[in-house]
Every structure is written in structure tokens, then in C-alpha cells.
Amino acid sequence: MAETKSTCCYCGVGCGVIIEHDAGVITGVRGDPSHPANFGRLCTKGSTLHLTAAPNTRAARALYPELRTARTEKRSRASWDEALDHATARFAAIIREHGPDAVAFYISGQLLTEDYYVFNKLAKGLIGTNNVDTNSRLCMSSAVAGYKQTLGADAPPACYEDIDHTDCLFISGSNTAFAHPIVFRRIEDARKANPAMKLIVVDPRRTDTAEAADLHLAILPGTDIALYNAMLHVMLWEGWVDEAYIAAHTEGFDALRKVVRAYTPQMAAGICGVPAADIERAAQWFATSKATLSMYCQGLNQSSHGTHNNAALINLHLASGHLGRPGAGPFSLTGQPNAMGGREVGGLANLLSAHRDLANPQHRAEVATLWGVPDVPAAPGKSAVELFHALESGEIKAVWIACTNPAQSMPDAAQIARALAKAEFVVVQEAYATTETAAYADLLLPASTWGEKGGTVTNSERRISRVRPAVAAPGEARHDWEITVDFARRLGHALGNSRTDALFPYADEEAIWNEHRESTRDRDLDITGLSYATLEAEGPQQWPFRSGASGGKTRLYEDGLFPTETGRAKFVATEHLPVAEPVSAKYPIALTTGRLRDQWHGMSRTGTLARLFAHEAEPLLHMNRADLDRRSLAEGDLVRVSSRRGAVTVKVAASDSVRPGQAFLPMHWGSNSMGGHGINALTVPAFDPWSKQPELKHTAVQVEKFAEGREIVALRRVEPGADDSAMVVMARVREALHSSLPDASYSSLTLAGRDAPVVVLKARAPATGDAAIAALDRAVALDDAHALSYRDARRDIAKRALIDGDTLSAVRLVGETKAAGWLQDMMAQGTPAGEARKWLLAPLTQPPAGQQQQRGKVVCNCFDVAERDIVAAFASGETLESLQARTRCGTNCGSCVPELKRLCTGGQPT
Ligand SMILES: Nc1nc2c(c(=O)[nH]1)N[C@H]1C(S)=C(S)[C@@H](COP(=O)(O)OP(=O)(O)OC[C@H]3O[C@@H](n4cnc5c(=O)[nH]c(N)nc54)[C@H](O)[C@@H]3O)O[C@H]1N2
Ligand SMILES: Nc1nc2c(c(=O)[nH]1)N[C@H]1C(S)=C(S)[C@@H](COP(=O)(O)OP(=O)(O)OC[C@H]3O[C@@H](n4cnc5c(=O)[nH]c(N)nc54)[C@H](O)[C@@H]3O)O[C@H]1N2
Ligand code: SF4
Ligand SMILES: [Mo]
């Protein structure tokens, strides 16, 4: 057995991992005790990385290039040479005929810095287009613009250690407990060490993060600016601002002072829907603590005024002098593992290498000199939303998509689908063949992924860590930078560029990184003192790390000098504005979207592992009980959720976490897991004027009861080590659903169970003919002579079940599905069928006597502890400590601790 140090490929916390591997197979993963982000800890997602890399998930991977030369054809396998020559010919022809801006690249904050760098150089340096944008546009671009407008550079000034030094932690628009769990563990530790520390959480929802707060401001969605302006109003009124800091280190305060005069706590209370006294208390804690640290994420960024959401919060730090000291500062939490690295290499349509601006002629000249090209194009490229609109209009004809799944993750998913269908040529460079976007690829290029590839990433606190390969990539998959460089060389030659080989000379990722390093010389993120060798010898390092320095900088702006023309930070006079699409009589519910604890975005990786569905098993609309009652809805009923752009059908869950008039949908479910265009069928493409980040957090919707169609359930248990893995069965079921029940009005395709996963399809369809039923049966291997069958033609009910040995292995129910819950549990647990065999096809909501009751949601994924058992334990008077001693729940990764605490104090199960 061998071990390789690397970095977790999920969130921007950037935890260090140690990969255990044996004979080319990843066998385990554990937290790296020496990594300064996590000191050995991992969350539910990080600690299951090895399971998502197991050989039985390989069926989901892209293994060799696949090409189709006519839209009507299916893709077929091609060699790398055929694939890249074809791509070269298509791109060269389009560029020659329509100019460089007729092609575009849409890439990802999950690429490594080296991958990112070469994509940027390919577009801006070789082809001559700035049409290279990334999913960071959906994620961090408002944070970038917010920092630049105020502090002058895109640099988070704080670090994780500041959590230990702060007296007031102000979390806004971030569900840290779910989305940055290891940061949340550090917050729990800091509060234990300093019980006087105040935690304020601003979030319209009562998340597990909000639940932990000393003060939760459940503001109405989209009203942050009114809140922060009112907090500043209070600080001014009470004399809590730091006039000396303002005078010495900032400019523009007078204009802001004038603006906030109108934002009395009473006025803001009216806009935000929270008590004025809470606003006053928040202002007091924020301003008068010794050191205030704020942490924020998509609740601020994903807004049509995201830049000013950020700026308004940073204003508070500048006004109260909470910046540039231990425990103080505005700390934007990065979403993806390398959104920071992407920003560093200028991988956005308006940026250039090393935090340079495309709009700045001197910056363009510097980059041209660095690259040895005559110039880099001046016209800004198209940002994500604009890019896909241009693809639909035909202005952009070919798009190269890498390491992101826009058909699932972009707003207004129907528009994205139209754009991808209309494009002349779509290349998808992907690790998994199962994504929604891969379905549109004319050319699918298999990429290596976590555990297989090497390079660097930068986390939220500006810390650069090595990513290292432990095993070889499967099939013919290649590293992203290699694919890009190979294509760049071919394209350069095809376009007759004699400098092609000099532009792309790299032998390995280190050579790329060294060139990137040189581009940072004398910039704010200068890393000229760092090398792969230093990272090897001394571990992860923060930037800047200047030539000759002994280390990186822990925190920025300690001297009060800012990277602006005047050296002063700038206040921005921000005003409250309504969301792009306010609720109306026709669309009365304010919908927001966000993360689940155990899933990652479109689920290409987390969706291969059954246990990661155990916390929330299917697409659910979380809505307040009052709104359910008003619509005569019961928990678990199907609802049609519609917006101005589209609709989805999902089950509804009663939730205390949202107020009446609001609702929440997890962002993870795409057309693969729920049919239609997935949840982004609903969302708004409107974007912020500066950051161009779309308003994914605010959509006005209608919610109506939905009861059409016949109910369908199909279940298949997959034994460990079975020939066909769960991924194969899932693909088969999806295919049967799409081909035989194309008019299904609702569907949910997920996994359940743990070691023997159960593929779970739930659907509704208007008509379910014999052929469709037979197709479903084949997909779950129920076309077996030994299967039990039941048919009631008059009531249109048809059921079938198969027992293998004494284990229920497959079930299909049409027309009546009352027993689906306990049948699924029986399969997932492998409970012997025994006497229950007689009841398998009966309309029983509860399992027959002697069978286990339904288990429901699993709270602790590490030790497989169900909510039902936790609630029962607390109800019987057991303490959290004794429950933990008995079941070990929450004692490994700790991701479920906030939820355990909530349940322990009598909080509602969700
Ligand atoms: N488990 C998990 N973790 C992840 C990811 C994942 O897919 N799964 N993805 C990673 C990525 S790329 C990102 S960007 C981060 C995102 O991390 P977060 O931003 O923390 O996660 P979200 O759930 O998208 O949104 C955060 C909160 O914003 C709140 N919110 C909505 N509207 C408003 C508003 O108007 N004002 C305020 N103040 N709050 C509002 C929502 O209710 C939600 O609780 O997570 C990262 N971590
Ligand atoms: N409604 C709604 N929509 C949202 C959000 C929201 O809050 N609400 N959040 C937005 C945010 S913040 C983000 S960051 C985006 C994320 O949206 P996406 O970027 O679409 O999310 P992922 O599913 O992580 O896509 C990454 C893809 O890269 C593939 N991949 C993994 N490793 C590699 C590799 O090494 N190389 C290559 N080439 N491919 C690889 C994965 O299989 C996966 O398909 O979603 C956005 N969309
Ligand atoms: S907090 Fe979890 S998902 Fe994020 S980097 Fe750490 S282990 Fe990975
Ligand atoms: Mo993100």
C-alpha cells in the first residue's frame, strides 16, 4: 500500500487529504494532519472520496474520445488524433470564416491553476478572443467585483486562523455548516475556546448555520444592502465608527454617510422584515467587538446587485476599522476548490493573467509581452449568460466546455438546452460521461480527475496546495492541461501561427506553473518566491509570497495601504434595490436555491455513492407549513413549481426553515435526476451590472398541487461486486424512462442504501402501456419468469417483484405505490423477505408485522445513524453525550453535529 498527499476536490476550504492506494486502486482517504486548512479533518464528502473513486463507479466515467460528425448520429469512439484533428478543423474553419469571436470556451473553478492557465492563453494569446468565461461567473464574480471596487484588488484579506481571534463572527448568505463544513468545525472550536464570541447569521432561511447563531437575522430575500446600510446608520448615530481609520485609510465616506442617513433601523426593518432592535444589536456587536470577521458566500454573490451586496458589507469593515488585524476582515468564502486559482490566472472574460484587467491597455501590453504575442484582444469577452445567449443567436458557433455542466447549473436551463442544441460544434471535456451537458457533445473528451491528476489549487485563504496523482487515469482519459495544450498546438499550426510551439512548450504542469508565477511578479498576488519544490518541502503556502520572502502573507492590509491609485480603500455608496423578479399575484412565492450537505453540484461524482443520498433522498421543495395548509397540501404531495421560464414537478416537504411566502429547492437536481430541465428550469438569467453574476438565489414562482398521471416506482438492489454496477443499472433505467415514458410529468432517479445500493425511480406518466412497463422491467431485471406479478386491469394497477434467495432484489409498481417506502427500505437493508413475501404486492402503507419500520433520513453518514432513532432517543430523555457514546453519531467527520444539536434541543426534524 502507498500513500499520496493531495487536496480535496470539492469545496474552497481546500482540505488536505492523504490518498491510500494499492496496485493502482484508491482504497482509502483520510485528512492530512499537517494541512493548515483542516489539520486532519474531512467532512462527509471529503471522507468518502475514495468510495467515489472505486472501480464500481467507472461505468459513469468518460473513458475514450467520442465523436459524431452529423447531428443525427450517435457519437462513436474515436482515437485522440482523430478527435483533436476534427476539433482543430472545425475551430479553424469557424475562426477563418467568422473571426475569433465566433468560438468560446466555458471552463471551471474546478480546473487546476495549470489547466486554467493554458485555456486562457489558448483563447486570449493564440486564437485572439476573450470569449473565455467560467462557472466562477455563477459563483465568485460578485466577490471579485466587490473587493476590487472597495479594497482595490481581488484578494480576501483574512485567513482561517482569524476564526480563532475574532470576537464577533458575522456570517451572511453562507450556509457554512453544509457548504464549508470544516470551516464550521473551526468555528465550533473557536466558540468553545471563547464562549463570549458572538455569532450573527444573516440568512432568510433558518439553516443549521443560523440555528447555531446568537443572533439570526432572517431577512427577506435580497434585502442585504438595506440591512448593512442601516447597521452603518446605527454605528454613525451611536458614534461607533472608527473616524481615525476612515480619515487615514479610506475615501468616499461622505457620499455613503449621506446615503445611509435615510436607512434608519425602522426603515430597514420594513424592507428586511426583521425587528429594528435586532438590526441595532447586530450593529453594536459588529462595531464594538475587539475584532469582527465576516464570512459570506452565494447569498450575497448570486444576486442582480451582488457586487453592491459585497461592497455594502465591506463598507462596514472599513467604517469600523475591522480590517487588517487578527480576527478582523471581510472574508469571502470561495465555493469551488480552485475558483481562486482561476481568478489568479485571469480566467474570466474581463480579466487577464495575475489579476490584470482586460480594460487596462497597459495590462494588455504586459501580458502580450509575457506571452510574446503582438497583442491580446481588447474587446471584453462574453460572460457566462451572454455566452450562451450568443450561442443560441448564432453569434458564437462553437463552444469548448471543460469541467463544468452548464446544462444543469446555468440559470434558465431551457435556454441553455436550446443554445447547446443550436451550436454548430460542442466540445465537452469531462471526467464523467453521465452529465446533462455531455449529452449535447459533438465531441466528448475524457479527462482525468481527482486522484489521477496533478497541479495546484488555491483555497479561500489564498493558500496554494499541491494536487497529486495517486493512480493512473482510467481508459484513455488524459489530463486537462495536456488535452488543451495538444489542441492548442494543432490549432496554432492549422491557423498558420509560426509561434505556436513557442507559445505552448510545456513538458509538464510545473513548467506551466512556473510561467504563471513569472506573470505575478510585482502584482498583488506576487508568488515569485514560491516553487513546486517549496510546496513539496514546506507544504501549502499563502500568497503573496515574494521573491526572497521566507513565507506568504497571513493577512493583508495590516499597514492600511490599499492597492488603489491613492492607496486608500474606497467606500461605495450602495442603495437597496429590488430583486430582478419580485413576487407577484401570479408568482407569489420567493424561491431560493442552494446546497445540500452531502451532494456536490450536478452530482456527477457524489451521485455515484448511495450513502450520500441518505441525508436527502430526492428532489424536495421545502416550504412553510402555512403555505402547505393554504394549498391543501400534505407533506410528500407532488407540486408543480412554475416560474416565468419553466416548471418542475417535485415533492413538497414542510419546513420551519423558511417563512411563509418563501421556498427552497436544492440546486443539485438536473434533468438526469428529475426530468424536464432540472431545477434551473425555473431560475432567472438576470445579472449584476458589474460582476455579470446571475441572480440564482431569487426567483418568483407559483406552487400548485399536482396529481396527474399514474404513479410508477421501480427499484433495483445492486449487490456489492455485481457485474452491472449501480451506475449501469441507473443508466438503463434512465434510458427506459426517456424512451418508453417520454411524457412522464414527474420523475426522480436516485440511489438509496449503503453497501448494496438500490436504484430508485419514482415517476408519474399519463399512460403506461404494456410496452413501457416491459421496458422498465427489463431495466431493473424484472423480466424474470420467477418474478411475482399482480395485475388489476380494471383499476390499471400492475405490480411485480423478484426475490433472490431471501432478498428482495427488484420491484416495479404501477398505478398504486403505497408500499414503495418499506419495500425500498427492505431492499436497502437486505432484510430477509421471510413472511413478508406474501405482502410484497399488497397495498400496505406500513410494513407487515415483524418487518422493520421505515428508516427514513440518515443524519450521521459515517456511522449510519437515522434521524428516526435520534429523535426517539432524545424523546426518551437520552443526552447527546450518551447517544454519541452509544452510536458514535457525529464523532467522526462532525458534519452532522449542528443537526444533532438542533434535534437535541427539540428542533424539528427536516
Ligand atoms: N455540500 C456542498 N458544499 C459545497 C458545494 C456543494 O455543491 N455542496 N458547492 C461549493 C460551491 S461552488 C459554493 S459557491 C459554495 C456555496 O456555499 P453557500 O453560499 O454557503 O451555499 P448556498 O446554499 O448556495 O447559499 C447560502 C445561503 O444563502 C442564503 N440566501 C439566499 N438568499 C439570500 C439573501 O438574499 N441574503 C442572504 N444574506 N442570504 C441569502 C440561502 O438561504 C442559503 O442558506 O458551497 C461550496 N460547498
Ligand atoms: N439554481 C442554482 N444553480 C447554481 C447554483 C445555485 O446556488 N443555485 N450555484 C452555482 C455555482 S456557485 C456553481 S460553482 C455552479 C457549479 O456548476 P457546475 O460547474 O456545472 O458543477 P459541477 O457539477 O461541479 O461540474 C463540474 C463538472 O466537472 C467534471 N469534472 C470533475 N473533475 C474533472 C476534471 O478533473 N476534469 C474535467 N474536465 N472535468 C471534471 C464533473 O464530472 C462535473 O460534471 O453551479 C451554479 N448553479
Ligand atoms: S470541507 Fe469537506 S468538501 Fe470542503 S475541502 Fe474539506 S473535506 Fe472537502
Ligand atoms: Mo460555486
Side-chain angles (χ1 to χ4, degrees), residues 596-618:
L596 294 177
R597 192 192 72 188
D598 293 351
Q599 293 294 356
W600 180 259
H601 300 160
M603 308 191 292
S604 59
R605 178 184 284 276
T606 48
T608 60
L609 190 58
R611 74 173 65 169
L612 294 180
F613 287 91
H615 195 242
E616 186 148 327
E618 58 188 304

Side-chain angles (χ1 to χ4, degrees), residues 110 135 302 404-405 409 429-430 448-449 480 593 601 604 680:
Q110 292 169 65
N135 59 3
Q302 287 170 343
T404 176
N405 181 14
S409 55
Q429 181 171 322
E430 243 297 339
S448 62
T449 182
D480 286 294
T593 58
H601 300 160
S604 59
N680 274 318

Side-chain angles (χ1 to χ4, degrees), residues 66 107 169 274 520 618 846:
E66 287 176 14
I107 60 178
L169 181 58
V274 295
T520 68
E618 58 188 304
Q846 294 295 324

Side-chain angles (χ1 to χ4, degrees), residues 134-188:
T134 91
N135 59 3
S136 289
R137 186 70 65 184
L138 316 179
C139 182
M140 302 314 296
S141 57
S142 295
V144 175
Y147 274 139
K148 286 170 80 164
Q149 284 192 4
T150 53
L151 308 184
D154 173 24
C159 63
Y160 298 146
E161 231 177 71
D162 285 324
I163 299 168
D164 301 331
H165 301 300
T166 190
D167 298 291
C168 175
L169 181 58
F170 186 87
I171 297 182
S172 185
S174 150
N175 186 6
T176 329
F178 277 21
H180 296 94
I182 298 305
V183 163
F184 204 72
R185 299 287 85 72
R186 295 184 71 153
I187 295 171
E188 287 166 345

Side-chain angles (χ1 to χ4, degrees), residues 10-12 45 110 138-140 172-176 178-181 202-205 207 219-224 228 296-300 302 309 333-336 592-601 664 667-668 697-698:
Y10 294 121
C11 82
K45 296 181 301 300
Q110 292 169 65
L138 316 179
C139 182
M140 302 314 296
S172 185
S174 150
N175 186 6
T176 329
F178 277 21
H180 296 94
V202 183
D203 194 311
R205 296 192 302 135
T207 59
I219 59 167
L220 293 170
T223 63
D224 289 87
Y228 309 148
Y296 47 98
C297 203
Q298 298 316 327
L300 298 199
Q302 287 170 343
N309 285 342
L333 295 176
T334 320
Q336 298 175 90
T592 195
T593 58
R595 272 114 190 121
L596 294 177
R597 192 192 72 188
D598 293 351
Q599 293 294 356
W600 180 259
H601 300 160
F664 170 76
M667 63 157 299
H668 307 286
K697 284 283 178 274
H698 310 293

